[in-house]
Amino acid sequence: MESNPPTAFLLPREARLLISMKPVIVGLACLLSCIITHASTLTHAQQIAKENGITLYNQYKTAEPELRIAAEAGDREAQYYLAEDLRRTNRYMTEEAYSWYTTAAEQGNLYAMRQLSPIKSDLCIAMENCPKGLKSAEDWNEKLISTATELAEKGDGEAMYLLHHATNNLEWLEKSAAVGYAHSQFWLASKYAQGDKFFLFPWEKDAAIESLLKRSAEGGDPKGITRYYGLLQEKGELEGARYWLRKGAETGHTVAFSNYALFLSDPNNPLQLPVDLVKSYGLMSLLLELDGGGDMLPLAKELPRIAARMTPEQIEQAEAFAKEWKATHPPLSYFPGKLGF
């Protein structure tokens, strides 16, 4: 949906000091916007920094240094993720986070526009120090709706997804799912499961949810894949559940990945997967990389238990398998919601 915008140079230290003496948000957002107007695409090093930063962000690790490289070079997606990282780290909307949201939004980033729309449930409200920008929250909401509507009219499912969040209109989510946007299919299934739509008969609701999850999984959404595998397991359709669990693990989604790794070491696993200690140990060892946050790292305590059943040669094979898997698959990710939920 988004293309890489032009590259900017870093603001000189003197300029940053000067800006800090004025209303910080207005000045910084304006200067950054003006600079970015004349920028070019990311260099290879800046693109790598952006990708690494997003990976670290998705693993709940410190992502700011890497994201800042690409953000200051003018990449609107990196600017958005940097703003999210700053807001998440500080647990409220800081002035710098607000300025990066503004810079990304001025370049057309719909997610940034959404975050600049009515700020609710934020610490800054209680403290009465929410940042102020050139546009009000209502202005950004109108901008989001007008921009996303134009894209939605051209069939953009992601724009429809954001329109749902901007308007709380379930119809936009249904339209997004209908045009094949996989994450909306997952999200809509969750909405139906929560009772957000009336179904005359329970089996109609169940069928709608299963159909949405199946399409979301087929569309490659990691959370949709994981939810669909769980649904098939509940129904006793183990062959399908095994297939989608493996697919989920291959996306790097921590839930599917950790389940797959554990099941391969358990002869009584619920999917009746054949035990493969080499693969189980190799995959489980990759969980050690999730040392920034989340709830997956404790699962690595299973490594000694698995190793106790293996020969030294098997452990070597497992280490080689882990290295190959890491080189040929996406990095592990919690896939936190891009809108912060």
Side-chain angles (χ1 to χ4, degrees), residues 278 281-282 306-308 310-321:
V278 169
Y281 185 95
I306 300 171
M310 300 172 66
T311 66
E313 291 77 13
Q314 286 178 313
I315 292 179
E316 287 183 10
Q317 293 170 11
E319 292 171 348
F321 174 78

Side-chain angles (χ1 to χ4, degrees), residues 26 29 37 46 56 89 114 140 197 210 215 244 250 255 291 296 310:
V26 175
T37 302
Q46 290 164 347
L56 292 169
T89 300
R114 175 56 185 160
W140 280 118
K197 181 172 182 175
E210 181 171 352
R215 284 183 284 151
W244 285 110
E250 288 169 358
V255 176
D291 56 357
M296 290 295 153
M310 300 172 66

Side-chain angles (χ1 to χ4, degrees), residues 16-29:
R16 293 200 301 270
L17 291 174
L18 181 59
I19 290 170
S20 68
M21 298 171 63
K22 298 179 180 181
V24 177
I25 298 309
V26 175
L28 182 56

Side-chain angles (χ1 to χ4, degrees), residues 10-321:
L10 292 173
L11 285 173
R13 183 171 181 273
E14 292 79 7
R16 293 200 301 270
L17 291 174
L18 181 59
I19 290 170
S20 68
M21 298 171 63
K22 298 179 180 181
V24 177
I25 298 309
V26 175
L28 182 56
C30 180
L31 281 176
L32 285 172
S33 296
C34 293
I35 290 169
I36 288 164
T37 302
H38 303 288
S40 58
T41 56
L42 294 179
T43 66
H44 178 70
Q46 290 164 347
Q47 180 64 32
I48 294 299
K50 171 187 172 179
E51 294 172 2
N52 289 341
I54 293 175
T55 294
L56 292 169
Y57 175 89
N58 286 334
Q59 293 180 342
Y60 300 142
K61 294 184 179 182
T62 302
E64 179 184 343
E66 299 276 10
L67 290 173
R68 191 175 291 278
I69 292 171
E72 290 179 336
D75 186 272
R76 63 182 178 180
E77 187 176 29
Q79 291 162 356
Y80 174 75
Y81 274 107
L82 176 58
E84 282 286 281
D85 188 69
L86 291 167
R87 184 177 63 85
R88 186 176 71 182
T89 300
N90 291 280
R91 299 182 184 276
Y92 72 100
M93 181 73 82
T94 66
E95 290 186 344
E96 187 183 10
Y98 191 92
S99 73
W100 283 116
Y101 281 129
T102 302
T103 305
E106 291 286 3
Q107 293 196 89
N109 186 288
L110 298 181
Y111 289 91
M113 293 179 197
R114 175 56 185 160
Q115 297 296 44
L116 290 168
S117 297
I119 304 172
K120 46 191 176 181
S121 303
D122 201 288
L123 181 61
C124 70
I125 294 178
M127 297 173 66
E128 298 183 348
N129 66 347
C130 291
K132 304 297 182 184
L134 295 173
K135 291 186 176 71
S136 68
E138 290 75 17
D139 290 336
W140 280 118
N141 196 53
E142 291 178 7
K143 178 67 173 176
L144 167 61
I145 291 175
S146 64
T147 305
T149 298
E150 184 177 344
L151 292 169
E153 289 172 350
K154 298 176 182 178
D156 190 319
E158 190 170 15
M160 297 174 193
Y161 168 78
L162 283 156
L163 280 169
H164 160 70
H165 288 290
T167 65
N168 202 31
N169 187 338
L170 191 67
E171 186 177 345
W172 277 119
L173 196 59
E174 291 176 323
K175 288 180 178 179
S176 178
V179 299
Y181 187 55
H183 190 60
S184 285
Q185 291 163 343
F186 160 76
W187 195 262
L188 185 59
S190 300
K191 289 288 187 180
Y192 285 175
Q194 294 168 7
D196 284 21
K197 181 172 182 175
F198 174 74
F199 289 87
L200 185 59
F201 301 107
W203 57 86
E204 291 180 329
K205 175 180 175 180
D206 293 341
I209 291 173
E210 181 171 352
S211 175
L212 284 166
L213 291 178
K214 182 175 186 292
R215 284 183 284 151
S216 179
E218 291 172 344
D221 184 75
K223 291 184 177 180
I225 292 173
T226 299
R227 185 72 64 82
Y228 187 52
Y229 123 69
L231 176 63
L232 293 177
Q233 179 182 336
E234 290 174 4
K235 294 179 63 178
E237 298 180 14
L238 298 189
E239 182 178 356
R242 286 192 291 267
Y243 173 82
W244 285 110
L245 175 60
R246 285 193 296 270
K247 286 292 186 181
E250 288 169 358
T251 69
H253 188 208
T254 53
V255 176
F257 184 92
S258 60
N259 283 351
Y260 186 54
L262 277 172
F263 290 173
L264 287 173
S265 68
D266 182 4
N268 299 312
N269 71 80
L271 297 188
Q272 299 177 14
L273 283 167
V275 171
D276 189 326
L277 297 180
V278 169
K279 288 184 179 180
S280 178
Y281 185 95
L283 295 174
M284 194 69 66
S285 68
L286 294 177
L287 292 177
L288 294 172
E289 297 180 2
L290 299 175
D291 56 357
D295 56 1
M296 290 295 153
L297 189 59
L299 290 176
K301 67 183 180 182
E302 296 292 324
L303 281 170
R305 179 185 65 79
I306 300 171
R309 300 156 56 193
M310 300 172 66
T311 66
E313 291 77 13
Q314 286 178 313
I315 292 179
E316 287 183 10
Q317 293 170 11
E319 292 171 348
F321 174 78

